[in-house]
Amino acid sequence: MAQRRVGIWYNDSKENSLETAYQLVGVLRRQGVKPVMGPMLAQALGETASSQGDFAGCEFLCVLGGDGTLLAAVDAALDLNLPLLGVNLGRVGYLSEVQPENLARDVGRALAGEGWLDRRMLLRASTSDGGSALALNEVAFNRSENSVGILALEVSAGGAMVDRVAGDGLVVATPTGSTAYSLSAGGPLVAPGLNCILLTPICPHTLRTRPVVVSADQAVQVRLMDQRGGAHVLLDGFKPLPIPPQDPTVTIRRWERTVSFLRLGHLNFFDLMRDKLSEWSH
């Protein structure tokens, strides 16, 4: 029988991340599970080359960090169809499931098969020149760094024009992303099981422009109406998507696949909403 394997995705910028990784490796080995990690973490822990490698064949990917670290791990998890188990080393940790003090207990529960899969929709943003990228949280349209003018965008859904947005930009978000950038821009909180796309204007320069929620079955198109000031598109806060000047339109659709998070039933969406978003600390 092949040895069980669990991947470890590590953010070395987080406080106590190396200590937590060391504890996790011990937890896995005591369960007879092989920890699989990248070269940087293996070197930091003094592991041999046999512990390094990709995550193929792992049962799940244990992500040590905050929500940003989980977002960065999504593409790797999708490539191998791996669920993500987040260990919160960040400030909010809205997507995480495990607190460091409960690491041994919760990883043990996950290995025992007590968890369930929370499948979240993804957005695929594409341009006319073949560029594309995936987003779990949002596709954000912002003014370029050197622009002080108003960004003008025409927004359509299902082939019908929704609005012309003038302001600092627009957030096109999933229900998962409703608690992220979209929320900060004044968008609604949306339960993650709903199949919808949020259109949240950023600082609109008009009294009538408001957030809009459309069906996830509709393709959303966002066209840059005035290219003099410039704009940039950023997915999940770290993946840029260049806008071709000859056709400055970005098409956003729900992707056919989902990403899975391993849950252990600690809190439901509304418990999380009250717990994570009511009290901010810096």
Side-chain angles (χ1 to χ4, degrees):
M1 180 180 294
Q3 186 178 18
R4 299 175 70 184
R5 294 158 52 94
V6 167
I8 304 175
W9 186 281
Y10 160 74
N11 184 345
D12 65 341
S13 69
K14 293 296 183 183
E15 186 178 358
N16 299 324
S17 59
L18 190 60
E19 177 185 347
T20 305
Y22 179 80
Q23 294 174 359
L24 176 59
V25 168
V27 169
L28 293 173
R29 285 183 172 150
R30 287 192 293 273
Q31 296 274 354
V33 177
K34 180 179 180 178
V36 179
M37 64 197 81
M40 183 175 66
L41 178 57
Q43 182 179 6
L45 293 176
E47 295 287 336
T48 62
S50 61
S51 294
Q52 303 180 24
D54 62 31
F55 302 114
C58 291
E59 295 181 27
F60 55 88
L61 190 58
C62 202
V63 181
L64 311 181
D67 287 342
T69 310
L70 274 162
L71 291 171
V74 164
D75 287 345
L78 282 171
D79 288 342
L80 298 169
N81 197 29
L82 294 179
L84 296 166
L85 178 65
V87 179
N88 183 30
L89 301 180
R91 184 178 63 183
V92 180
Y94 202 92
L95 294 172
S96 299
E97 187 69 11
V98 178
Q99 297 301 320
E101 61 268 23
N102 301 321
L103 185 68
R105 181 197 70 185
D106 287 347
V107 171
R109 289 184 59 200
L111 291 170
E114 296 183 26
W116 55 278
L117 295 182
D118 176 14
R119 294 181 171 85
R120 299 295 182 94
M121 67 173 279
L122 297 161
L123 297 176
R124 180 177 183 268
S126 58
T127 56
S128 59
D129 61 354
S132 68
L134 297 175
L136 171 63
N137 271 354
E138 76 278 311
V139 182
F141 296 79
N142 296 99
R143 297 182 299 177
S144 63
E145 288 80 0
N146 298 323
S147 174
V148 294
I150 290 174
L151 181 61
L153 303 168
E154 184 176 86
V155 186
S156 301
M161 191 181 78
V162 176
D163 200 358
R164 289 189 174 95
V165 176
D168 282 357
L170 176 75
V171 179
V172 182
T174 65
T176 300
S178 72
T179 57
Y181 192 3
S182 176
L183 176 66
S184 298
L189 286 166
V190 178
L194 296 177
N195 291 317
C196 61
I197 297 175
L198 287 66
L199 309 175
T200 305
I202 306 169
C203 298
H205 197 66
T206 172
L207 292 175
R208 66 170 179 80
T209 301
R210 293 291 181 267
V212 176
V213 179
V214 301
S215 169
D217 295 327
Q218 296 179 316
V220 173
Q221 286 194 318
V222 181
R223 182 172 67 88
L224 180 61
M225 297 177 63
D226 187 346
Q227 301 184 57
R228 291 175 297 175
H232 67 265
V233 181
L234 200 62
L235 285 77
D236 285 344
F238 71 99
K239 291 187 281 190
L241 182 66
I243 305 175
Q246 68 276 12
D247 182 9
T249 302
V250 178
T251 301
I252 302 162
R253 292 183 171 88
R254 175 176 59 179
W255 202 40
E256 61 268 18
R257 292 178 58 191
T258 57
V259 64
S260 296
F261 290 86
L262 188 56
R263 303 299 188 196
L264 299 168
H266 294 317
L267 294 171
N268 62 37
F269 172 75
F270 299 104
D271 290 335
L272 278 168
M273 181 179 66
R274 291 191 302 271
D275 182 56
K276 300 289 187 180
L277 297 179
S278 296
E279 295 184 9
W280 284 75
S281 60
H282 297 276

